[in-house]
Amino acid sequence: VQLQASGGGLVQAGDSLRLACVASGRTLSNYGMGWFRQVPGKEREFVAMVTWNGNLRYADFVKGRFTISRDRARNAVYLQLNSLKFEDTANYFCAAAVRNLNLVDQFNYRGQGTQVTVSS
């Protein structure tokens, strides 16, 4: 399974981006999918997830700024980033976990990610 993320870029504080992650190699209908972010030298940080049956979960720091969505037909998950802040700068990668795993803690597959850089 490959997870290909796209949509990152260099933006100014307050701007928006929409990240996309498309899976190939198998259908992930029985998997939760989500997003993490990581800054070099730091641990990865959970951002948002959608479970295999459609429940949503967000990290506290999101505070209504980010929205995750899923398109099962495209085997894809998206992350809308609004009101971006300097501290949102990171590599954002997507991951997938089979339904009996908590994606926040562990996952079966992950992609390389896409870089989001927010200038202040």
Side-chain angles (χ1 to χ4, degrees), residues 74-87:
R74 289 184 167 85
N75 221 20
V77 65
Y78 305 94
L79 187 67
Q80 177 69 39
L81 310 173
N82 295 329
S83 303
L84 283 163
K85 305 176 182 179
F86 174 76
E87 51 266 37

Side-chain angles (χ1 to χ4, degrees), residues 5-114:
S6 61
L10 172 61
V11 296
Q12 294 184 336
D15 284 352
S16 298
L17 283 172
R18 185 172 186 254
L19 308 183
C21 172
V22 180
S24 60
R26 73 180 299 166
T27 299
L28 299 182
S29 56
N30 287 324
Y31 285 70
M33 297 184 74
W35 292 90
F36 294 80
R37 66 186 188 183
Q38 191 165 22
V39 175
K42 293 188 177 182
E43 294 289 321
R44 71 172 184 258
E45 184 175 37
F46 167 75
V47 178
M49 67 177 287
V50 51
T51 65
W52 69 275
N53 57 350
N55 294 319
L56 306 181
R57 180 176 176 182
Y58 294 95
D60 289 342
F61 68 81
V62 169
K63 295 182 180 178
R65 298 185 299 125
F66 299 171
T67 302
I68 190 169
S69 60
R70 183 170 185 169
D71 186 335
R72 292 183 180 275
R74 289 184 167 85
N75 221 20
V77 65
Y78 305 94
L79 187 67
Q80 177 69 39
L81 310 173
N82 295 329
S83 303
L84 283 163
K85 305 176 182 179
F86 174 76
E87 51 266 37
D88 293 321
T89 296
N91 180 269
Y92 285 71
F93 67 90
C94 59
V98 70
R99 58 190 285 178
N100 62 330
L101 291 181
N102 184 350
L103 185 142
V104 176
D105 299 320
Q106 55 183 323
F107 39 81
N108 301 99
Y109 310 107
R110 63 158 289 177
Q112 291 298 314
T114 183

